[in-house]
Amino acid sequence: MASSPYSSSPSPSSSSSSPSVDYDLIPVIALNYSVRKKLALYLNPINTVAADWTDIAEKMDFSYLEIKNYEKLENPTKKLLETWQTRAGATVDKLVSILEQAERKDIISDLQPLIDEDCRIYVERQKELPVQVPEVDSRDQCRGITVNDGHIPEMFDAFICYCQSDFQFVHEMIRQLEQTDYNLKLCVFDRDVLPGTCVWTITSELIEMRCKRMVVVISDDYLDSDACDFQTKFALSLCPGARTKRLIPVVYKQMKRPFPSILRFLTVCDYTRPSTQSWFWVRLAKALSLS
């Protein structure tokens, strides 16, 4: 198979301005709306001459039944990417390789600048928000991170990802889940994390090692928060087989902006519908109680 223009050693056909990055290490979730929209424009139409979304789905190892169900959707390519990005090995390099195998180099050529830019932004963000640093090593867990840390590190049922404007709802979550018979233990950053620690490093350790689940409080303000964006993407980058079990999106008020595309494949706990509010805390508590 021909070398991908997104490998760490770019082929001669690659743009000279392309960053020297190993794209095999960049997850597909790094690709933003513009790339996904153009992919859909290319692949959604059923094509008897060139490979369409069904051919890509087969190369992504989707089953016949899955593909038949996606045929009913208005935008099957969008759903395909959202589902595939939760699987092991769903990297930018793998996606480009699949397009190459399907002989859709026209798509690669058109989208390469956009993909390069998305990957560059992703790499820069990882530099700004370090994850793989010595402090995250489990051997360092004996040092204090949360207010109740002792010889044995404090463990939690869930890490709560929220922005400051939604803190009132987090207070209600504490009351409903910790101060009732559910008796769950939540990690709330402003309450539980000791001051003077590296925010990104400690967040990474808490999500990866200390918390069984992660609850993401989605709102319009959440979409503007770099911290929330980092925490969500970090949780999604963990063990691929556990992604759908680990992360629980919660919506507690009406939103004006579109729901985050990287979370649309997950079942949402919705507090905005009066008809289901009475079940909201029961469902959320049950999800957090599962081992």
Side-chain angles (χ1 to χ4, degrees):
M1 183 180 66
S3 62
S4 164
Y6 298 96
S7 61
S8 56
S9 299
S11 64
S13 62
S14 299
S15 170
S16 59
S17 61
S18 297
S20 180
V21 175
D22 187 352
Y23 287 91
D24 189 48
L25 300 178
I26 298 181
V28 169
I29 61 171
L31 299 181
N32 291 318
Y33 176 77
S34 296
V35 172
R36 293 166 186 262
K37 181 180 178 180
K38 281 206 166 187
L39 276 171
L41 290 174
Y42 272 112
L43 297 174
N44 279 343
I46 298 300
N47 200 321
T48 57
V49 178
D52 53 45
W53 73 268
T54 59
D55 301 288
I56 302 302
E58 289 179 0
K59 295 183 185 303
M60 289 177 171
D61 293 326
F62 281 85
S63 68
Y64 171 79
L65 288 177
E66 288 175 312
I67 295 173
K68 293 300 291 183
N69 274 280
Y70 290 169
E71 286 177 352
K72 304 172 185 177
L73 301 176
E74 182 180 350
N75 190 345
T77 300
K78 175 174 172 289
K79 179 65 174 177
L80 194 70
L81 289 171
E82 289 175 354
T83 305
W84 186 65
Q85 70 186 13
T86 69
R87 300 182 177 181
T91 65
V92 171
D93 188 69
K94 180 64 174 177
L95 175 61
V96 173
S97 295
I98 288 173
L99 291 170
E100 286 181 337
Q101 293 172 37
E103 298 183 353
R104 292 307 306 263
K105 293 186 178 180
D106 56 320
I107 300 178
I108 298 172
S109 178
D110 185 24
L111 297 189
Q112 182 172 343
L114 291 174
I115 294 176
D116 281 345
E117 179 64 10
D118 283 353
C119 292
R120 183 191 65 77
I121 292 172
Y122 179 86
V123 170
E124 288 302 313
R125 181 166 291 175
Q126 298 309 301
K127 291 178 182 177
E128 295 170 3
L129 312 175
V131 174
Q132 299 301 328
V133 293
E135 288 90 339
V136 181
D137 196 313
S138 60
R139 292 172 296 182
D140 267 350
Q141 285 188 355
C142 57
R143 60 187 181 81
I145 292 175
T146 63
V147 294
N148 291 319
D149 273 349
H151 180 67
I152 299 176
E154 189 175 14
M155 306 301 289
F156 300 89
D157 292 297
F159 179 92
I160 312 301
C161 175
Y162 60 94
C163 63
Q164 289 300 315
S165 62
D166 299 320
F167 199 49
Q168 190 61 41
F169 182 74
V170 175
H171 274 288
E172 178 65 10
M173 189 177 294
I174 291 170
R175 190 180 73 81
Q176 292 283 352
L177 299 178
E178 287 191 340
Q179 301 170 10
T180 60
D181 291 340
Y182 297 127
N183 198 32
L184 293 167
K185 189 171 182 59
L186 309 179
C187 182
V188 178
F189 207 94
D190 291 284
R191 179 192 67 175
D192 297 307
V193 176
L194 289 172
T197 53
C198 175
V199 174
W200 306 117
T201 298
I202 302 310
T203 298
S204 302
E205 180 172 328
L206 288 170
I207 294 173
E208 186 170 22
M209 302 177 183
R210 305 277 198 100
C211 304
K212 293 191 295 183
R213 300 283 188 274
M214 178 174 168
V215 175
V216 184
V217 180
I218 308 294
S219 67
D220 289 324
D221 291 324
Y222 159 92
L223 299 176
D224 293 324
S225 170
D226 288 338
C228 291
D229 181 71
F230 165 73
Q231 291 167 358
T232 304
K233 287 184 176 179
F234 179 82
L236 286 168
S237 72
L238 298 176
C239 177
R243 286 176 189 159
T244 56
K245 294 188 297 182
R246 292 186 66 100
L247 201 149
I248 302 171
V250 166
V251 177
Y252 80 98
K253 63 182 179 181
Q254 296 293 339
M255 295 177 60
K256 297 179 181 178
R257 298 168 63 181
F259 193 81
S261 60
I262 63 171
L263 297 177
R264 285 178 180 161
F265 62 90
L266 296 174
T267 302
V268 177
C269 210
D270 192 347
Y271 193 71
T272 64
R273 293 182 294 166
S275 60
T276 61
Q277 277 186 3
S278 60
W279 306 328
F280 177 86
W281 296 112
V282 175
R283 292 180 68 222
L284 183 55
K286 179 65 175 179
L288 298 181
S289 300
L290 295 174
S291 58

